Amino acid sequence: MEAGIFTRIAQLCRAREERLSERWRALVSASLGGRVPETQVDKEQREILDVLLTALALGAGRDIEAEPYAELRALLMELSRSRAQQGFSPRETAISVFALKGAVLDVFDQDGDAEAFREFVAFSQLIDELALLTFETYARAREEVISSQAEQLLELATPVVKVWDGVLALPLVGTLGSARAQVVMEKLLQTLVDTGSEHAIIDITGVPAVDTQVAQHLLKTVMAARLMGAECIISGIRPQIAQTIVALGIEFGDIATKGTLADALVLAISRTGVSVGGDLTKRGR
Amino acid sequence: MDSVPILKIGDVLLVSIQTDLQDEAVMALQESLAERISSTGASGVIIDISVLDVVDSFAGRMLATVAAISRVLDAETVVVGMRPAVAITLVEMGLSLDGIKTALDLERGMRLLSGDGALA
């Protein structure tokens, strides 16, 4: 591309920088609806405008991937990433850049000649490219937010708690998909090793539905724990789930199942060799 | 070829597997273990695999075979120190190691054999 096509427009803008950034800020602030402090918008835009004009004055062309625009690209990506994390829509983010065109046009409106207009069209295309860059970064940043949230959810949802000396409890809440079942299994087994516990209670009171896949995961976890020298008890099977399990023909084999976490705890403690008081063992369901 | 050491503690034989086993080493282990059981009249065999972090189907079957041999020779086998990753792999491969006792660590394994399952 021809070098220096924007040098004149850069000079014109530089001469009117104060008016230009004021107009730009007014346009953007209106679209953001006051959710970002004006002083912050002003600071961001002055910085962007300054970096942009400097690059243009140095003879940067149309290609926004070119070296002179490196700093500008970094600034815009930073801007759209922070907008994405604050929950702004991609439209609001891209408008921050597009509004510059309006601002330049408004300011140039008075003293525009044919030559300046031709330059403005090329300038406008450049701004479009820059705005698209923020859009791309925005989408990527959103995806990062989503995947990090999914990860956090995965960790939040699988606590392994020690309820007695040598007894762990794993209260499962929510749907048990393959990925989550894998995390649950690994975490339980690792905690068994770390704490030297020989008994684990898997409580499924909070699992809304048990299908063959979930049952398969449970069975695998129990088998793996057994291979390591620990016994699992499954508790919290609700009546409907018991019916589903039987209807699906799932065999829990010799795995101990108990109605409530309390019953499972009594069984686990008595297995550790501690005698449990009579009133505890006889407690009704 | 380095062979796996078989230690005798009381009437228990301790096999501590320290490295990933090659197939010949496994065959040699089976042979020497069978000999030691019958020569010492051991009543229990503990296989410590706490260092093992990778298993293949051959190693999995080896454990089952060793246990079966020991049982025929009237000795009980306890596998101790299996890591979570190994346990998951074995389950995924469909090897449930039926008839083998397991314990979290060596100490619990010893107690399991001496207490004859009183604490199990």
Side-chain angles (χ1 to χ4, degrees):
Chain A
M1 279 294 152
E2 63 270 64
I5 52 163
F6 296 124
T7 41
R8 206 172 86 90
I9 209 165
Q11 277 164 11
L12 292 173
C13 289
R14 196 56 105 176
R16 300 165 176 79
E17 196 173 348
E18 194 55 36
R19 262 166 70 211
L20 192 58
S21 61
E22 204 127 294
R23 182 81 196 113
W24 190 16
R25 196 192 65 218
L27 288 171
V28 171
S29 295
S31 78
L32 292 181
R35 277 177 290 165
V36 179
E38 285 228 353
T39 48
Q40 196 196 329
V41 176
D42 191 47
K43 188 171 152 282
E44 285 166 358
Q45 295 191 335
R46 276 175 200 277
E47 205 176 354
I48 292 171
L49 192 60
D50 182 52
V51 172
L52 171 67
L53 294 182
T54 310
L56 295 181
L58 288 174
R62 285 173 211 260
D63 181 14
I64 66 156
E65 295 299 321
E67 178 54 31
Y69 291 123
E71 198 187 342
L72 180 62
R73 283 203 308 273
L75 267 180
L76 287 176
M77 282 160 85
E78 183 53 43
L79 174 82
S80 54
R81 195 164 288 141
S82 78
R83 289 276 197 280
Q85 276 154 7
Q86 286 161 4
F88 286 97
S89 75
R91 183 192 161 83
E92 286 160 333
T93 309
I95 264 185
S96 297
V97 180
F98 281 130
L100 179 59
K101 286 200 295 191
V104 172
L105 193 60
D106 285 352
V107 171
F108 280 12
D109 210 14
Q110 300 96 345
D111 44 26
D113 52 63
E115 178 68 9
F117 185 73
R118 218 169 50 79
E119 275 177 29
F120 178 74
V121 171
F123 179 69
S124 151
Q125 282 166 357
L126 178 77
I127 299 294
D128 289 351
E129 288 289 320
L130 291 173
L132 284 176
L133 177 75
T134 66
F135 202 89
E136 259 168 39
T137 317
Y138 177 91
R140 215 175 307 133
R142 281 301 262 204
E143 255 157 48
E144 280 163 22
V145 170
I146 291 170
S147 68
S148 87
Q149 277 175 349
E151 221 165 86
Q152 284 168 2
L153 203 62
L154 217 54
E155 283 178 8
L156 272 184
T158 54
V160 181
V161 285
K162 183 174 173 179
V163 288
W164 200 265
D165 203 24
V167 182
L168 296 178
L170 177 70
L172 289 177
V173 176
T175 316
L176 205 60
S178 274
R180 194 160 157 233
Q182 190 72 27
V183 174
V184 168
M185 186 198 262
E186 277 167 22
K187 192 156 175 203
L188 176 65
L189 298 183
Q190 192 56 52
T191 318
L192 283 174
V193 176
D194 293 344
T195 60
S197 305
E198 284 182 322
H199 301 276
I201 302 168
I202 303 175
D203 187 77
I204 59 168
T205 313
V207 179
V210 172
D211 55 12
T212 43
Q213 207 192 2
V214 172
Q216 196 63 35
H217 286 310
L218 285 176
L219 289 177
K220 274 184 184 170
T221 310
V222 175
M223 294 315 293
R226 235 177 226 181
L227 283 180
M228 290 168 49
E231 268 301 316
C232 291
I233 303 164
I234 296 176
S235 73
I237 302 177
R238 281 176 281 124
Q240 306 95 303
I241 289 185
Q243 288 182 28
T244 331
I245 288 174
V246 173
L248 287 173
I250 298 163
E251 276 290 336
F252 274 143
D254 54 349
I255 299 166
T257 52
K258 288 283 171 187
T260 63
L261 184 62
D263 292 332
L265 187 57
V266 170
L267 175 63
I269 293 174
S270 67
R271 276 180 179 175
T272 62
V274 178
S275 72
V276 184
D279 53 332
L280 265 177
T281 43
K282 266 187 252 139
R283 63 181 289 288
R285 285 268 159 93
Chain B
M1 189 180 68
D2 34 324
S3 58
V4 180
I6 300 171
L7 312 172
K8 183 172 176 297
I9 306 169
D11 55 356
V12 173
L13 293 180
L14 172 63
V15 182
S16 181
I17 296 175
Q18 300 290 341
T19 49
D20 290 341
L21 289 181
Q22 300 305 313
D23 294 1
E24 307 95 68
V26 172
M27 302 310 291
L29 172 64
Q30 281 179 12
E31 218 164 284
S32 53
L33 184 62
E35 247 161 58
R36 285 296 293 274
I37 294 173
S38 68
S39 69
T40 58
S43 68
V45 175
I46 293 181
I47 306 177
D48 180 7
I49 56 167
S50 52
V51 205
L52 221 60
D53 49 11
V54 186
V55 283
D56 53 14
S57 56
F58 192 81
R61 218 175 51 234
M62 174 271 285
L63 291 176
T65 315
V66 168
I69 294 172
S70 313
R71 205 173 318 126
V72 172
L73 294 169
D74 194 24
E76 211 172 356
T77 308
V78 182
V79 173
V80 301
M82 189 184 292
R83 293 194 183 186
V86 173
I88 292 172
T89 314
L90 289 180
V91 171
E92 295 289 343
M93 287 192 302
L95 287 170
S96 57
L97 301 188
D98 286 330
I100 303 184
K101 287 190 173 172
T102 51
L104 284 174
D105 51 34
L106 183 57
E107 197 184 342
R108 286 189 170 84
M110 295 288 285
R111 227 186 304 157
L112 192 63
L113 282 178
S114 61
D116 205 22
L119 282 162

